[in-house]
Protein backbone atom coordinates (compact mmCIF):
# COMPACT_ATOMS: atom_id res chain seq x y z
CA UNK A 1 0.00 0.00 0.00
CA UNK A 2 1.37 3.40 -0.97
CA UNK A 3 1.13 5.53 2.19
CA UNK A 4 1.83 9.24 2.46
CA UNK A 5 5.00 10.20 4.26
CA UNK A 6 4.22 11.87 7.56
CA UNK A 7 7.34 12.89 9.39
CA UNK A 8 7.86 11.34 12.83
CA UNK A 9 4.71 9.20 12.72
CA UNK A 10 5.00 5.45 12.78
CA UNK A 11 2.51 3.10 11.15
CA UNK A 12 0.59 2.47 14.38
CA UNK A 13 0.16 6.19 15.00
CA UNK A 14 -1.05 6.87 11.44
CA UNK A 15 -3.49 3.95 11.69
CA UNK A 16 -4.80 5.26 15.03
CA UNK A 17 -5.29 8.72 13.53
CA UNK A 18 -7.13 7.29 10.53
CA UNK A 19 -9.35 5.25 12.86
CA UNK A 20 -10.27 8.49 14.65
CA UNK A 21 -11.49 9.98 11.37
CA UNK A 22 -14.30 7.41 10.95
CA UNK A 23 -16.54 8.78 13.76
CA UNK A 24 -16.17 12.26 12.28
CA UNK A 25 -17.34 10.96 8.93
CA UNK A 26 -20.43 9.52 10.65
CA UNK A 27 -21.01 13.00 12.05
CA UNK A 28 -20.50 14.60 8.62
CA UNK A 29 -23.01 12.25 7.01
CA UNK A 30 -25.49 12.88 9.84
CA UNK A 31 -25.17 16.67 9.52
CA UNK A 32 -25.56 16.49 5.73
CA UNK A 33 -28.54 14.13 5.99
CA UNK A 34 -30.27 16.41 8.49
CA UNK A 35 -29.63 19.41 6.23
CA UNK A 36 -31.02 17.58 3.19
CA UNK A 37 -34.18 16.62 5.08
CA UNK A 38 -34.73 20.19 6.26
CA UNK A 39 -34.03 21.46 2.72
CA UNK A 40 -36.66 19.16 1.22
CA UNK A 41 -39.20 20.08 3.92
CA UNK A 42 -38.48 23.78 3.47
CA UNK A 43 -38.82 23.64 -0.31
CA UNK A 44 -42.26 22.07 0.17
CA UNK A 45 -43.25 24.72 2.75
CA UNK A 46 -42.29 27.80 0.70
CA UNK A 47 -45.14 29.22 -1.37
CA UNK A 48 -43.13 31.71 -3.43
CA UNK A 49 -42.37 29.86 -6.69
CA UNK A 50 -38.89 31.32 -7.36
CA UNK A 51 -37.59 30.55 -3.90
CA UNK A 52 -39.18 27.10 -3.94
CA UNK A 53 -37.54 26.46 -7.33
CA UNK A 54 -34.12 27.54 -6.13
CA UNK A 55 -34.37 25.32 -3.06
CA UNK A 56 -35.40 22.36 -5.18
CA UNK A 57 -32.41 22.99 -7.47
CA UNK A 58 -29.97 22.59 -4.59
CA UNK A 59 -31.67 19.43 -3.32
CA UNK A 60 -29.97 17.21 -5.93
CA UNK A 61 -26.45 18.38 -4.99
CA UNK A 62 -27.40 17.91 -1.32
CA UNK A 63 -28.11 14.24 -2.03
CA UNK A 64 -24.83 13.96 -3.96
CA UNK A 65 -22.91 15.48 -1.06
CA UNK A 66 -24.50 13.01 1.30
CA UNK A 67 -23.40 10.14 -0.96
CA UNK A 68 -19.88 11.60 -1.24
CA UNK A 69 -19.21 10.76 2.39
CA UNK A 70 -18.71 7.14 1.26
CA UNK A 71 -15.95 8.41 -1.03
CA UNK A 72 -14.36 10.16 1.93
CA UNK A 73 -14.26 6.88 3.85
CA UNK A 74 -12.37 5.31 0.95
CA UNK A 75 -10.02 8.31 0.71
CA UNK A 76 -9.09 7.75 4.34
CA UNK A 77 -8.72 4.01 3.76
CA UNK A 78 -11.72 3.17 5.90
CA UNK A 79 -14.95 1.32 5.24
CA UNK A 80 -18.26 3.15 5.53
CA UNK A 81 -20.75 1.54 7.90
CA UNK A 82 -23.02 -0.87 6.05
CA UNK A 83 -26.54 0.47 5.48
CA UNK A 84 -27.96 -2.63 7.14
CA UNK A 85 -25.53 -2.55 10.07
CA UNK A 86 -26.12 -0.85 13.41
CA UNK A 87 -24.13 2.30 12.56
CA UNK A 88 -25.61 2.44 9.05
CA UNK A 89 -29.15 2.29 10.43
CA UNK A 90 -28.37 4.86 13.10
CA UNK A 91 -27.35 7.71 10.74
CA UNK A 92 -30.79 8.21 9.12
CA UNK A 93 -32.50 7.97 12.50
CA UNK A 94 -30.16 10.50 14.13
CA UNK A 95 -30.42 12.78 11.08
CA UNK A 96 -34.22 12.68 11.26
CA UNK A 97 -34.19 13.40 15.00
CA UNK A 98 -31.62 16.18 14.56
CA UNK A 99 -33.64 17.73 11.73
CA UNK A 100 -36.86 17.55 13.75
CA UNK A 101 -35.17 19.05 16.82
CA UNK A 102 -33.80 21.92 14.73
CA UNK A 103 -37.22 22.54 13.24
CA UNK A 104 -38.74 22.66 16.73
CA UNK A 105 -36.10 25.14 17.86
CA UNK A 106 -36.82 27.25 14.77
CA UNK A 107 -40.55 27.14 15.49
CA UNK A 108 -40.01 28.21 19.10
CA UNK A 109 -37.62 31.04 18.18
CA UNK A 110 -39.93 32.24 15.42
CA UNK A 111 -42.94 32.30 17.71
CA UNK A 112 -40.98 34.25 20.33
CA UNK A 113 -40.08 36.75 17.61
CA UNK A 114 -43.74 37.06 16.62
CA UNK A 115 -43.25 35.57 13.17
CA UNK A 116 -46.27 33.94 11.59
CA UNK A 117 -46.01 31.14 9.07
CA UNK A 118 -43.59 28.28 9.06
CA UNK A 119 -41.71 28.87 5.80
CA UNK A 120 -39.45 31.63 7.12
CA UNK A 121 -38.76 29.72 10.33
CA UNK A 122 -37.83 26.71 8.18
CA UNK A 123 -35.49 28.93 6.16
CA UNK A 124 -33.72 30.02 9.33
CA UNK A 125 -33.15 26.44 10.40
CA UNK A 126 -32.03 25.55 6.88
CA UNK A 127 -29.46 28.33 7.03
CA UNK A 128 -28.03 27.03 10.31
CA UNK A 129 -28.21 23.38 9.28
CA UNK A 130 -26.27 23.95 6.07
CA UNK A 131 -23.62 25.84 8.00
CA UNK A 132 -23.16 22.79 10.25
CA UNK A 133 -22.92 20.51 7.21
CA UNK A 134 -20.39 22.83 5.54
CA UNK A 135 -18.25 22.62 8.64
CA UNK A 136 -18.54 18.83 8.69
CA UNK A 137 -16.98 18.64 5.23
CA UNK A 138 -14.46 21.39 6.04
CA UNK A 139 -13.20 19.40 9.04
CA UNK A 140 -12.91 16.30 6.82
CA UNK A 141 -10.84 18.41 4.42
CA UNK A 142 -8.55 19.52 7.25
CA UNK A 143 -8.17 15.93 8.44
CA UNK A 144 -7.17 15.00 4.88
CA UNK A 145 -4.54 17.73 4.91
CA UNK A 146 -3.26 16.74 8.35
CA UNK A 147 -3.00 13.06 7.42
CA UNK A 148 -1.59 13.54 3.92
CA UNK A 149 -4.72 12.27 2.15
CA UNK A 150 -5.01 14.37 -1.02
CA UNK A 151 -7.98 12.31 -2.27
CA UNK A 152 -9.96 13.36 0.80
CA UNK A 153 -9.09 17.00 0.14
CA UNK A 154 -10.06 16.61 -3.53
CA UNK A 155 -13.48 15.32 -2.45
CA UNK A 156 -14.18 17.72 0.42
CA UNK A 157 -12.87 21.01 -0.99
CA UNK A 158 -15.31 21.31 -3.94
CA UNK A 159 -18.19 20.24 -1.70
CA UNK A 160 -17.34 22.98 0.80
CA UNK A 161 -17.16 25.51 -2.06
CA UNK A 162 -20.51 24.44 -3.56
CA UNK A 163 -22.24 24.30 -0.18
CA UNK A 164 -20.90 27.79 0.58
CA UNK A 165 -22.49 29.08 -2.64
CA UNK A 166 -25.73 27.36 -1.60
CA UNK A 167 -25.43 29.03 1.81
CA UNK A 168 -25.36 32.44 0.14
CA UNK A 169 -28.46 31.57 -1.91
CA UNK A 170 -30.30 30.32 1.17
CA UNK A 171 -29.34 33.50 3.04
CA UNK A 172 -30.63 35.67 0.20
CA UNK A 173 -33.93 33.79 0.19
CA UNK A 174 -34.12 34.09 3.97
CA UNK A 175 -33.51 37.83 3.84
CA UNK A 176 -35.97 38.30 0.98
CA UNK A 177 -38.65 36.66 3.10
CA UNK A 178 -37.78 38.56 6.30
CA UNK A 179 -39.91 41.69 5.82
CA UNK A 180 -43.03 39.68 5.01
CA UNK A 181 -42.46 37.36 7.96
CA UNK A 182 -41.62 40.03 10.55
CA UNK A 183 -43.34 43.24 9.50
CA UNK A 184 -46.42 41.90 7.77
CA UNK A 185 -46.60 38.56 9.58
CA UNK A 186 -47.19 36.77 6.30
CA UNK A 187 -45.82 33.44 5.22
CA UNK A 188 -44.07 33.34 1.88
Amino acid sequence: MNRPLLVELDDATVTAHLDRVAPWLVTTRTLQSAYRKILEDTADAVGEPHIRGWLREIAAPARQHEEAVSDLYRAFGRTAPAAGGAAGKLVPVVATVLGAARELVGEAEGRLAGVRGSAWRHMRMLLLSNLDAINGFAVAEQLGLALGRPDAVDIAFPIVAEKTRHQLLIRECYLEMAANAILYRRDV
Side-chain angles (χ1 to χ4, degrees):
M1 179 173 167
N2 209 359
R3 294 194 136 205
L5 176 63
L6 298 174
V7 179
E8 296 185 23
L9 293 179
D10 61 12
D11 231 19
T13 303
V14 172
T15 299
H17 286 345
L18 289 169
D19 288 344
R20 291 181 193 134
V21 170
W24 182 257
L25 296 178
V26 170
T27 300
T28 301
R29 178 171 279 154
T30 302
L31 293 170
Q32 181 62 26
S33 295
Y35 159 71
R36 182 192 46 79
K37 288 177 188 309
I38 292 172
L39 172 60
E40 290 168 352
D41 290 348
T42 303
D44 291 341
V46 171
E48 203 284 317
H50 292 94
I51 293 175
R52 185 175 54 244
W54 292 328
L55 295 177
R56 287 188 175 151
E57 281 179 25
I58 63 176
R63 283 187 289 280
Q64 293 166 353
H65 297 159
E66 191 173 349
E67 293 165 6
V69 177
S70 295
D71 298 332
L72 283 170
Y73 275 99
R74 284 189 290 281
F76 284 106
R78 297 297 171 263
T79 304
K89 288 180 182 176
L90 190 59
V91 169
V93 171
V94 172
T96 299
V97 169
L98 181 60
R102 285 185 171 156
E103 287 181 19
L104 285 173
V105 168
E107 290 293 322
E109 289 174 347
R111 290 189 190 282
L112 286 172
V115 175
R116 289 199 184 141
S118 64
W120 192 68
R121 292 190 302 264
H122 274 90
M123 287 296 293
R124 182 173 185 285
M125 293 318 299
L126 181 62
L127 196 64
L128 298 174
S129 182
N130 190 41
L131 189 57
D132 279 346
I134 290 169
N135 288 325
F137 284 103
V139 168
E141 177 188 344
Q142 290 302 306
L143 294 172
L145 289 168
L147 294 171
R149 296 293 175 151
D151 289 348
V153 176
D154 290 344
I155 294 164
F157 182 81
I159 291 173
V160 169
E162 185 172 35
K163 289 183 70 54
T164 300
R165 285 190 305 276
H166 293 169
Q167 184 74 359
L168 293 173
L169 175 66
I170 294 165
R171 189 181 80 179
E172 277 306 308
C173 293
Y174 172 77
L175 293 173
E176 188 174 315
M177 296 167 67
N180 278 324
I182 296 169
L183 300 178
Y184 305 112
R185 297 185 179 210
R186 287 192 305 242
D187 212 1
V188 178

